[in-house]
Amino acid sequence: MSVLEQVQADVRTAMKAGERERAAALRMVVDSLQQDAKLGKGDEVAVLQRERKKRLEAAEAYRDAGRSEQAEAEGFEAELIEGYLPEQLSEEELAELVDAAVDETGASEQRQMGEVMSALMPKVGGRADGKRVSAAVREKLGS
């Protein structure tokens, strides 16, 4: 079952249970996944990560503006989306992948970070945020 099919099934379940907020949030996720599929990209994990990131940034902006109710709603949606993402890599697992990518590319300097990231990101496969991966690579190449 694809992520889109799973989310659609969860929308139906939420509607039957009378969970309006959950159903509405899931419908937005379905819409984003369908738009991406129409464009032919088909990378469901990337869509989920992008949507989660949008919600987290919006929640932070609302919190900074003193609008806690909206921040809470955005946080709820981000948490909901997170449930459909693959399990995130632990720090140890990420460090092992970074070490392997650095060895594979032979990189030793900060300016070779792009090569390492190109080799590493397919192996990460959406199980870690890009910021977290680049920070780990930067730390490894900086030492």
Side-chain angles (χ1 to χ4, degrees):
M1 179 181 277
S2 74
V3 173
L4 176 58
E5 292 167 338
Q6 179 63 50
V7 177
Q8 287 172 327
D10 290 348
V11 168
R12 287 188 292 276
T13 303
M15 287 298 293
K16 287 178 184 175
E19 300 171 333
R20 290 178 180 241
E21 287 180 27
R22 181 178 169 82
L26 289 172
R27 278 196 195 112
M28 285 191 281
V29 174
V30 167
D31 184 51
S32 296
L33 289 168
Q34 287 175 335
Q35 284 178 354
D36 190 67
K38 278 183 187 175
L39 295 174
K41 295 179 183 173
D43 189 359
E44 293 176 328
V45 172
V47 172
L48 292 173
Q49 286 178 324
R50 184 178 62 238
E51 293 300 315
R52 180 178 166 273
K53 183 178 179 183
K54 283 181 190 177
R55 300 313 188 288
L56 291 173
E57 289 172 352
E60 185 177 327
Y62 282 132
R63 242 182 254 100
D64 292 346
R67 300 176 70 186
S68 61
E69 192 173 304
Q70 287 90 346
E72 200 173 295
E74 294 290 336
F76 169 75
E77 290 178 16
E79 198 173 296
L80 194 65
I81 293 168
E82 198 169 301
Y84 295 99
L85 286 168
E87 187 175 327
Q88 297 295 294
L89 291 171
S90 69
E91 292 301 320
E92 295 79 29
E93 292 169 320
L94 180 58
E96 287 174 19
L97 288 174
V98 169
D99 290 343
V102 168
D103 291 343
E104 178 184 319
T105 59
S108 60
E109 298 177 335
Q110 202 71 20
R111 64 184 177 157
Q112 295 170 305
M113 186 170 166
E115 296 172 38
V116 177
M117 291 295 289
S118 295
L120 182 59
M121 287 310 284
K123 294 175 185 169
V124 170
R127 295 177 295 154
D129 182 61
K131 281 184 182 178
R132 194 171 147 222
V133 174
S134 67
V137 171
R138 198 174 294 114
E139 183 180 317
K140 174 71 177 172
L141 292 178
S143 56

